[in-house]
Amino acid sequence: MVTNSRKTPGIRGSYEPLNMPVPVQVVPGLDGRPAKILETRKPSRVEKVIDLWELDDEWWREKPIRRRYFRLLMDSGGVLTVFKDLSSDEWFSQRY
Amino acid sequence: MSIACVKIPHLPIQCELSRSSELRSRNILIYHGEESRPVILDASSNAYIRRGTSLVRAMSQCPEAAVIRADEDYYNASWNQIIKSLLNITDRVEDAARGTAFLAINGLYAAYGGQDQTVEFISKATTEHGLEALIGVAPGRFSAYCAAIRARPSKPIRLPNSRSAVKEFLAPMPVDLLPMETRAIELMHDFALDTMGELGMQSLSALQAQLGPDGRRAWELVNGFDRSRLNIIEQPESIVDELQFPWPAASMDALSFGVHALLDRAFTSLQRVGKAAGRMDLTYEMSDSESWTYRHVFKEPTASAKIAHSVVMTNLEMKTQSENSPIRSPVETISVELSRLGQARAEQSGLWNKHEGGDLNTALRQLTAKTESSPVKKIVEVEPWSRIPERRLAFAEVTSR
């Protein structure tokens, strides 16, 4: 009898995480905080940094999680959350 | 029903000949049993010595024979090789005794190109191991056996699928071949019923009166009524599945969620083949390259992911609370093997059971069969308290029950 195996090595399990970080282009100000977000439609200016916090987790892994989050009030009136990956210096937006 | 009987006559002798060709020109006596009273296990046909004869007596009757102590392991291994080859032809094989096997071959003709070709394949399965087999094909198990013992090597006997033809074939054969107690056979000889034809001419009620249930069975067999089923070899089967966490699971919630998703999928595969699992091996692979396997043997084979999940979680909670918890670092992968597959015990459904989601289940089952995995997803909370936003919610497959 043939072994009935659905094992598919390398394929992620039966669930996918939601709300994954999306890469964005950020122009930082002199203080390192985001000053402008370059999006495909039109760049938007940061009016104010509402909040700022850091996330440091999974230090035991090859790629630990080290992020600096910024909650931003944009000139359009909207609120956007972005973070800088402190390991790679890349910027991402993510709903928090 | 078409059954093929494969009989290897003098299997121990054939095994010895296949490994020492210099024995071919001699008679052989193979003995086994206690050193103080060894008896014959098998002897060359030309020696005319029956199994069970004491070795001393056999040697006096056939002084020139080569005398060999039985190598049971070797004979068993040779037979197992043949069974393995037969299982490559069909999975419906009965290993009746060392040297005798039955195969249900109806349904194979289309695959092998006809009955002749199927029998040819069966014959090759034995000759490739250097042993000659006798093959009989008949509508029943007993008639196939009788056909096999009348066959010659590479000349199988095939009986047509007709009761009268079987009856006619069996008629001249001795009643000693019937699968009955020695006492019943002796009684038949006492009544001068020496052949199956003579037995078949008696009335059923007379035989039943003299021999009881054995009489009825004997009458049925010699008249071509054979309802005996093959005792098919249960082969080891298993369902194996694996789940890699998108990130190392360091909480009981995440582990529980992963175990649930994995078991749900594995048990859906199990239900698809109409089986239930008798054993479950769940392996946790951790980020420090350590792994831990938890084995659970179910009291009754189960096809329920819910039962399996509750068993796993109870064990997991107990283990992780103990000082010597086997899970000391976050889990990256979990895999499950469901084995000892068998039939699930039938469960009576209640009269007032709700059948909610029946249509959805049917649709899901059909979609899953088409696409291999469920295309329908639901949003579930994984670690809703996590500081890392992408860890909180996930898309999970919705599988049919």
Side-chain angles (χ1 to χ4, degrees):
Chain A
M1 190 76 75
V2 177
T3 300
N4 189 333
S5 167
R6 294 188 63 219
K7 188 173 177 176
T8 43
I11 289 182
R12 220 169 235 195
S14 60
Y15 69 99
E16 305 155 21
L18 282 172
N19 195 18
M20 290 295 282
V22 179
V24 282
Q25 274 189 290
V26 172
V27 178
L30 289 173
D31 55 358
R33 294 180 176 199
K36 204 183 266 185
I37 308 293
L38 301 175
E39 286 191 65
T40 45
R41 279 173 293 147
K42 70 168 195 183
S44 48
R45 206 167 47 81
V46 175
E47 198 70 39
K48 186 182 168 188
V49 175
I50 306 172
D51 202 357
L52 182 153
W53 69 98
E54 280 195 10
L55 193 61
D56 207 339
D57 211 337
E58 294 184 2
W59 46 266
W60 63 86
R61 298 201 78 200
E62 244 179 74
K63 287 183 184 171
I65 292 178
R66 291 179 60 229
R67 298 172 182 176
R68 182 171 296 145
Y69 276 88
F70 298 90
R71 193 166 170 81
L72 309 171
L73 177 65
M74 309 305 292
D75 58 355
S76 59
V79 175
L80 181 70
T81 306
V82 296
F83 70 82
K84 185 181 184 182
D85 187 318
L86 299 177
S87 306
S88 64
D89 281 344
E90 289 169 312
W91 287 90
F92 298 88
S93 78
Q94 186 177 42
R95 283 197 315 278
Y96 199 86
Chain B
M1 184 92 162
S2 236
I3 290 175
C5 173
V6 176
K7 179 125 187 73
I8 313 272
H10 297 287
L11 186 127
I13 295 280
Q14 286 205 52
C15 286
E16 293 297 346
L17 287 174
S18 72
R19 62 175 171 183
S20 329
S21 54
E22 64 270 23
L23 291 172
R24 287 193 183 279
S25 55
R26 301 179 64 182
N27 279 329
I28 304 169
L29 300 176
I30 299 176
Y31 71 95
H32 67 159
E34 291 168 25
E35 287 295 334
S36 56
R37 199 187 172 279
V39 291
I40 295 297
L41 171 72
D42 198 7
S44 304
S45 320
N46 293 338
Y48 300 106
I49 290 168
R50 293 179 73 169
R51 187 181 168 163
T53 307
S54 79
L55 178 61
V56 177
R57 192 170 163 191
M59 284 171 73
S60 66
Q61 283 180 13
C62 195
E64 83 293 350
V67 179
I68 300 169
R69 178 157 191 91
D71 184 351
E72 298 281 359
D73 290 345
Y74 177 58
Y75 310 148
N76 289 337
S78 302
W79 176 241
N80 289 339
Q81 287 297 320
I82 289 173
I83 288 288
K84 225 174 185 179
S85 299
L86 294 176
L87 284 166
N88 287 335
I89 296 170
T90 174
D91 56 348
R92 292 180 299 165
V93 176
E94 176 185 338
D95 181 0
R98 189 174 70 191
T100 308
F102 294 92
L103 293 84
I105 57 169
N106 49 317
L108 295 181
Y109 300 156
Y112 291 103
Q115 194 191 59
D116 290 353
Q117 288 82 348
T118 307
V119 173
E120 184 70 21
F121 268 99
I122 295 170
S123 178
K124 273 185 193 158
T126 59
T127 50
E128 72 183 7
H129 298 291
L131 303 181
E132 280 185 334
L134 307 175
I135 298 171
V137 178
R141 190 178 181 278
F142 176 67
S143 46
Y145 175 79
C146 292
I149 58 170
R150 276 280 182 272
R152 302 231 163 265
S154 68
K155 282 191 181 161
I157 289 181
R158 287 184 282 268
L159 299 182
N161 197 1
S162 130
R163 213 172 287 151
S164 57
V166 171
K167 186 179 174 182
E168 196 182 324
F169 174 80
L170 296 176
M173 300 182 94
V175 289
D176 305 67
L177 291 172
L178 286 164
M180 306 284 151
E181 295 283 332
T182 320
R183 228 186 109 259
I185 300 285
E186 281 170 358
L187 208 56
M188 288 175 200
H189 286 300
D190 289 347
F191 288 117
L193 302 173
D194 299 318
T195 65
M196 294 193 212
E198 288 163 352
L199 191 73
M201 279 190 289
Q202 306 307 309
S203 74
L204 172 62
S205 53
L207 281 175
Q208 253 183 319
Q210 290 298 328
L211 301 164
D214 270 358
R216 183 189 184 86
R217 180 152 161 69
W219 186 89
E220 284 179 349
L221 288 176
V222 301
N223 281 294
F225 297 95
D226 190 354
R227 296 192 192 89
S228 47
R229 288 183 167 198
L230 299 191
N231 190 10
I232 303 291
I233 298 170
E234 281 281 336
Q235 290 192 81
E237 284 180 54
S238 63
I239 301 272
V240 181
D241 209 338
E242 182 186 83
L243 184 140
Q244 288 175 10
F245 283 95
W247 58 85
S251 70
M252 197 54 117
D253 286 350
L255 263 182
S256 169
F257 178 78
V259 167
H260 186 266
L262 176 67
L263 293 180
D264 217 28
R265 204 169 56 182
F267 274 88
T268 303
S269 304
L270 191 66
Q271 286 161 6
R272 219 171 280 151
V273 292
K275 300 270 182 170
R279 196 170 79 186
M280 168 176 66
D281 289 285
L282 199 71
T283 304
Y284 303 83
E285 281 169 35
M286 289 157 264
S287 53
D288 60 0
S289 306
E290 291 285 314
S291 69
W292 174 58
T293 299
Y294 164 62
R295 169 170 289 177
H296 182 81
V297 178
F298 294 104
K299 209 170 168 189
E300 294 279 348
T302 183
S304 161
K306 207 173 161 188
I307 292 174
H309 183 252
S310 110
V311 163
V312 170
M313 291 319 295
T314 310
N315 171 270
L316 200 59
E317 275 163 24
M318 228 163 60
K319 289 281 180 190
T320 48
Q321 277 166 17
S322 72
E323 274 182 22
N324 298 320
S325 168
I327 298 180
R328 295 198 190 98
S329 57
V331 176
E332 299 210 329
T333 306
I334 42 175
S335 55
V336 68
E337 180 175 6
L338 303 175
S339 53
R340 291 196 188 165
L341 306 189
Q343 297 304 317
R345 199 179 59 164
E347 279 175 22
Q348 281 195 325
S349 53
L351 200 55
W352 295 280
N353 276 357
K354 287 180 182 173
H355 296 287
E356 287 170 358
D359 291 344
L360 179 64
N361 275 334
T362 310
L364 278 174
R365 211 165 31 245
Q366 288 166 352
L367 281 168
T368 310
K370 270 189 180 177
T371 57
E372 278 288 303
S373 62
S374 173
V376 182
K377 314 266 184 190
K378 63 180 172 186
I379 296 173
V380 289
E381 287 189 333
V382 184
E383 291 177 0
W385 38 262
S386 176
R387 295 200 306 145
I388 306 165
E390 66 266 32
R391 303 283 166 91
R392 295 172 193 157
L393 298 169
F395 260 144
E397 279 183 11
V398 179
T399 48
S400 59
R401 303 272 153 216

